[in-house]
Each structure stands twice: as C-alpha cells, then as structure tokens.
Amino acid sequence: MQQNLLDFDAQKMAAWFATQGEKPFRARQVLRWVHKSGEADFDAMSDLALTLRGKLKENACVQVPKVMREELSDDGTRKWLLDVGTGNAVETVFIPESDRGTLCVSTQAGCALDCAFCSTGKQGFNRNLSVAEIIGQLWWANHQLGKNAEGNWPISNVVMMGMGEPLLNFDNTVSALHLMLDDNAYGLSRRRVTVSTSGIVPAMDRLREECTVALAVSLHAPNDKLRDQLVPINQKYPLKELLAACQRYLEKAPRDFITFEYVMLEGVNDSEQQARELVKLVRDVPCKFNLIPFNPFPQTHYKRSRPDAIQCFRDVLMQADIVTTTRKTRGDDIAAACGQLAGQVQDKTKRTMQRSVGIV
Ligand code: SAH
Ligand code: SF4
C-alpha cells in the first residue's frame, strides 16, 4: 500500500524517511515540496535524486479527499464538500476578506456531542478525520485558489470551526496544527490558527502543553442550567471548570484573550438579563465575544434572534468593556454555516435510502 505523505507532520515524515533509509533533510525537502509548493507529483520535485523520486512513486502518494461538490457564494465565500468514504461528507469553507483569507476546516465526520442547535450534532458521530483529511482541506483550498500576485498562498488564517469537535480527535488535530505552523509547510502564525471547542477541559490542558494556538470556546449560555441543555458536554465539564481551564490556557496562549462564541437563539439565551449574567460569569477571564446569529436548518425548532435583540445583547457586553463582534452571516446562499451542506447531502442519501426501502 502506498503511504499518503499528507498524513505526516515533520517528525513523522522524518521517521518514515528513516525507515526508507533516507536522511532527515530529504524528509524536510519533501515536506516543503508537498505543503509549501503544493506539489503532488514526485517527478516535479526537481532537487530530489531520480532514485528517490522513483522510490517515492512506488511507495508513497499525496492524496487529498475527493471533492464531491464546490459552491461559490455571491460574496466570494467558497465551499467544498469532501467525500470521506462510506457515504460521509465533510465541508471546508473559504472566507475571503480584504486583509486576510480564512479557511474553516472540519475535524470529524459528524459529532458525538449533540449540541441542541447544531446540524452536525444531529447527524451523529461517524468517525475521526485522518491528518491527511484535515490538512488536505488546506492543501486543496490553496491549490484551488492559487498563489496571489506576491507569490503567497491566499489562506492566512485557519479556524477549526467546521464539522466535529477538534479536541476529541486530539492527536490528528495536533499533527495538522503542527503542519499549519511549520515554516517548512504552511508557516502560519499561532495567532492566526484557532481551535474552537465546546469545552473538553482535559484536552484544553493538553493542547496548552502540546501546541498553543488561539482558542475559541463555545459558551452559548450564562449558567449551567441552560448550558446543560444547549451543550450537553457541560454536564461533564461545567462552567466553573471550563472557565478555570480557560484561565490556565491563557498562561501559555499566543493571544492574551479567549474568544467566546455565543450562538444567538431567539427567546432562549438572548435576553438583556442573560447578557448581564454572562458579564458576571466571565468577569475573571480576559475575553472577547463573538455573537453568532443562529443558522437555521430543516430539523430545528430554534429561531435566529432578532437583530435588535442581538444589538442590545452586544451593548450590554460592550458597556462592561468586553470587545464583542457579531459574526457576519457569510455565504448564506450556499449554506456555508456549520454542518449545513453536508447535512443536506446526508439527508438526501437518507431519503434515497428510505425511498429504496419504501418508507417515503
Ligand atoms: N465543535 C466545535 C467546533 C465546531 S462548531 C465547537 O462546538 O466549538 C463551530 C461553531 O459553530 C461553534 O461555536 C458552534 O456552537 C457553532 N454552531 C453550531 N451550529 C450552529 C448553528 N446552527 N448556527 C450558528 N452557529 C452554530
Ligand atoms: Fe459538535 Fe461543535 Fe456541533 Fe456541538 S456545536 S455538536 S461540539 S460540532
């Protein structure tokens, strides 16, 4: 079987090259070809000896997941749906802005955590993505978009806010993060790579030891009672423990604040009173807030908060000196929100299956 080189960070690449009787600097050269130059064809790796190229052609490959569909929004947001086998799909979204290009990557097919308002959660957990499938999203998006006029790749920022809980696929996520930060691969700044977590406390501590990047925490509620319902993992890691873990993380983090994500659900977590409760809750954690207007999907009973409620909520946080942004709803026309397009495809497959067994 051919070894997919996208599965290796620098360390694993060097170890594999050693098993092939090759020197560590060869591993570094190949890492640069594959990630820095975006090259998948060993014949084009011109500074490698012909014998090594031959060996690589025989034993290795550079393989990204198959793209099932690509969609382009009117606002320039681009979304790829990737086939990860056995009827599963994950998505990657590129969001261009004037001063940066952000890629939102997935880390799992589905998610086991079943947050009440999340369409990925409603699909259940299927499996962890491999390193190749995670980093392959960045490789592929860069490849598709092409280098800019200055010869740089267009993606300057990565957020792990696609499908799945990155900290429950810890090892593969960390290897992919290492590649994103590695100067021989993508060379992104730690401050421009963000892991988003629903609050897996022990894994937050591990991340702090193994690979500090910017951290976003999905808060979504000002107290345990409501958070237990919206984000069920809160029953295992309640707010007090979560906020303490945030403080520990900040001791080593590349940024001096945590970003709290807060999905705005009409009549559920969006009142002025709840905003005040939230201010008290996070009093001791240096933070910024990102309010996310809820993105509805077919099987949900939740509604997006009204713009005036979002504005009022934001004002309360701002008055308490908490920098608060409201996420722009980008790519609405191509359902570029968390888990949506893959949800549609899965629904279709399910319906097709149901049809074929005569349910609908
Ligand atoms: N599992 C991680 C990262 C993926 S979800 C986490 O939960 O943080 C990325 C963000 O999208 C999270 O803040 C999540 O709560 C939010 N999200 C999920 N479903 C959403 C929806 N339907 N509308 C708006 N935001 C949503
Ligand atoms: Fe999983 Fe995040 Fe969705 Fe919760 S919000 S179900 S943790 S992907």
Side-chain angles (χ1 to χ4, degrees), residues 68 79 81-82 84-91 106-127 129 162-165 295-300 335 337-350:
M68 294 164 73
K79 173 160 172 161
L81 193 69
L82 309 175
V84 290
T86 55
N88 286 287
V90 297
E91 58 197 31
S106 296
T107 53
Q108 296 183 313
C111 182
L113 296 183
D114 201 17
C115 297
F117 50 82
C118 174
S119 91
T120 304
K122 297 292 153 241
Q123 292 164 35
F125 175 67
N126 191 269
R127 70 172 174 83
L129 298 191
M163 299 173 73
E165 169 51 54
N295 276 300
F297 52 95
Q299 312 87 331
T300 186
C338 177
Q340 284 192 8
L341 181 55
Q344 287 168 11
V345 168
Q346 284 227 332
D347 279 356
K348 232 169 57 204
T349 350
K350 256 188 231 143

Side-chain angles (χ1 to χ4, degrees), residues 20-39:
Q20 305 293 306
E22 296 288 341
K23 299 230 158 56
F25 85 95
R26 291 291 179 206
R28 211 156 43 237
Q29 262 179 316
V30 171
L31 197 76
R32 288 173 73 91
W33 273 114
V34 171
H35 296 286
K36 226 174 149 64
S37 310
E39 190 54 73

Side-chain angles (χ1 to χ4, degrees), residues 33-302:
W33 273 114
V34 171
H35 296 286
K36 226 174 149 64
S37 310
E39 190 54 73
D41 177 4
F42 297 120
D43 279 329
M45 301 185 182
S46 49
D47 55 359
L48 302 184
L50 279 176
T51 48
L52 175 56
R53 283 188 237 171
K55 205 192 271 185
L56 289 171
K57 271 180 0 197
E58 202 170 308
N59 300 325
C61 61
V62 176
Q63 201 171 5
V64 291
K66 209 171 109 231
V67 175
M68 294 164 73
R69 198 189 318 166
E70 177 179 2
E71 306 213 355
L72 177 63
S73 159
D74 294 340
D75 65 15
T77 302
R78 219 176 260 266
K79 173 160 172 161
W80 294 278
L81 193 69
L82 309 175
D83 182 1
V84 290
T86 55
N88 286 287
V90 297
E91 58 197 31
T92 298
V93 180
F94 174 68
I95 306 145
E97 283 171 281
S98 57
D99 58 339
R100 70 186 117 172
T102 303
L103 191 71
C104 176
V105 306
S106 296
T107 53
Q108 296 183 313
C111 182
L113 296 183
D114 201 17
C115 297
F117 50 82
C118 174
S119 91
T120 304
K122 297 292 153 241
Q123 292 164 35
F125 175 67
N126 191 269
R127 70 172 174 83
N128 283 330
L129 298 191
S130 64
V131 180
E133 287 166 336
I134 300 173
I135 206 67
Q137 296 170 54
L138 180 55
W139 191 97
W140 171 258
N142 272 330
H143 179 80
Q144 283 301 100
L145 297 163
K147 286 191 172 170
N148 61 23
E150 292 88 51
N152 298 321
W153 291 119
I155 294 162
S156 57
N157 295 52
V158 173
V159 292
M160 290 192 159
M161 292 183 187
M163 299 173 73
E165 169 51 54
L167 296 187
L168 288 183
N169 182 11
F170 191 88
D171 292 343
N172 293 348
T173 292
V174 166
S175 286
L177 289 173
H178 282 146
L179 282 166
M180 290 172 197
L181 303 177
D182 194 326
D183 282 336
N184 289 315
Y186 299 92
L188 300 180
S189 141
R190 281 175 197 281
R191 302 155 60 88
R192 290 171 170 265
V193 176
T194 303
V195 166
S196 172
T197 180
S198 56
I200 314 295
V201 166
M204 288 165 67
D205 286 328
R206 258 187 92 188
L207 189 69
R208 164 183 183 264
E209 296 309 318
E210 293 183 30
C211 188
T212 43
V213 289
L215 189 67
V217 173
S218 296
L219 210 52
H220 306 319
N223 55 54
D224 281 321
K225 187 156 177 271
L226 182 57
R227 195 164 190 270
D228 278 351
Q229 289 170 27
L230 296 179
V231 185
I233 193 68
N234 192 67
Q235 294 161 27
K236 194 162 178 192
Y237 306 116
L239 282 167
K240 194 159 173 263
E241 285 178 34
L242 176 59
L243 296 175
C246 290
Q247 278 173 320
R248 289 195 294 278
Y249 194 85
L250 282 174
E251 289 163 15
K252 288 200 181 170
R255 287 185 179 270
D256 53 9
F257 60 90
I258 299 284
T259 302
F260 286 126
E261 295 161 279
Y262 195 98
V263 63
M264 298 298 293
L265 303 165
E266 187 177 56
V268 175
N269 65 353
D270 65 346
S271 73
E272 198 179 325
Q273 145 79 36
Q274 284 163 318
R276 284 205 207 91
E277 200 181 346
L278 199 55
V279 167
K280 280 203 200 113
L281 178 77
V282 301
R283 202 171 29 205
D284 297 329
V285 184
C287 63
K288 292 188 182 173
F289 264 81
N290 193 351
L291 305 181
I292 317 173
F294 173 61
N295 276 300
F297 52 95
Q299 312 87 331
T300 186
H301 62 278
Y302 290 112

